[in-house]
Amino acid sequence: RVTALGRPVTQRIPLLDFAYSTFYRTPADPGAPACPAVCTEFGTEVYPEGLRGAVALAGSYGRPVWITENGLADADDDLRAAYVADHLRVLRRAMRDGLASVRGYLYWSLVDNFEWAHGFAPRFGLYSFDAATLRRRPRPSAGLVHRIFRTGEVP
């Protein structure tokens, strides 16, 4: 759920002309509204069908499309596998429906990263990352993503 900023950052392509309008309850923000469905640990709602709308808009420009950041904060890794599979199913349907010439999909992110406003607290990576030791460990969802990318089959 987003709110328009009132004008696009560029006049040619409406890119980054919105901001999140709703964040739901997280440990860092216990006073926020309760999540109405499934939410990430970052406080945003999981809504795979939203990817279809984004792909349709991007495809309307008649240019190839790459999905470069699709993922969620999920330290326990209990939502990530379903998140990826659900989003890839939606993407596959959008491609079959001819909404865009999608050339690639990148999960965000391979390893936990530094989130500019929240540090290392949100856990976005397929691999956990310990900033002190630099050790990386695959989360269970990394195996599923590997199988999907290797076989092209989404369970």
Side-chain angles (χ1 to χ4, degrees):
R1 300 177 194 274
V2 297
T3 299
L5 295 176
R7 67 180 204 274
V9 173
T10 70
Q11 295 303 313
R12 296 186 68 205
I13 300 173
L15 179 66
L16 302 176
D17 60 347
F18 62 89
Y20 286 107
S21 59
T22 306
F23 280 95
Y24 296 102
R25 188 172 302 143
T26 66
D29 188 6
C35 178
V38 176
C39 287
T40 73
E41 292 173 2
F42 207 54
T44 55
E45 187 175 351
V46 175
Y47 182 63
E49 284 298 322
L51 182 58
R52 182 181 177 87
V55 167
L57 175 63
S60 74
Y61 293 103
R63 308 295 300 159
V65 174
W66 283 263
I67 309 301
T68 59
E69 289 188 359
N70 181 247
L72 78 162
D74 181 21
D76 294 335
D77 203 48
D78 55 355
L79 301 175
R80 190 172 286 109
Y83 179 97
V84 171
D86 291 346
H87 282 79
L88 287 175
R89 281 188 210 102
V90 166
L91 181 58
R92 182 185 313 172
R93 284 194 309 272
M95 292 167 63
R96 285 182 180 158
D97 292 345
L99 298 182
S101 175
V102 178
R103 304 287 175 89
Y105 171 93
L106 300 171
Y107 178 80
W108 177 44
S109 161
L110 180 62
V111 296
D112 291 335
N113 58 299
F114 184 82
E115 186 64 25
W116 70 271
H118 301 277
F120 284 107
R123 301 301 183 165
F124 290 102
L126 292 169
Y127 285 70
S128 64
F129 171 72
D130 184 323
T133 66
L134 303 182
R135 185 172 184 176
R136 295 177 294 267
R137 291 185 195 177
R139 292 193 166 100
S141 59
L144 171 70
V145 171
H146 175 77
R147 283 190 303 281
I148 291 170
F149 290 175
R150 185 173 36 89
T151 67
E153 298 295 321
V154 179

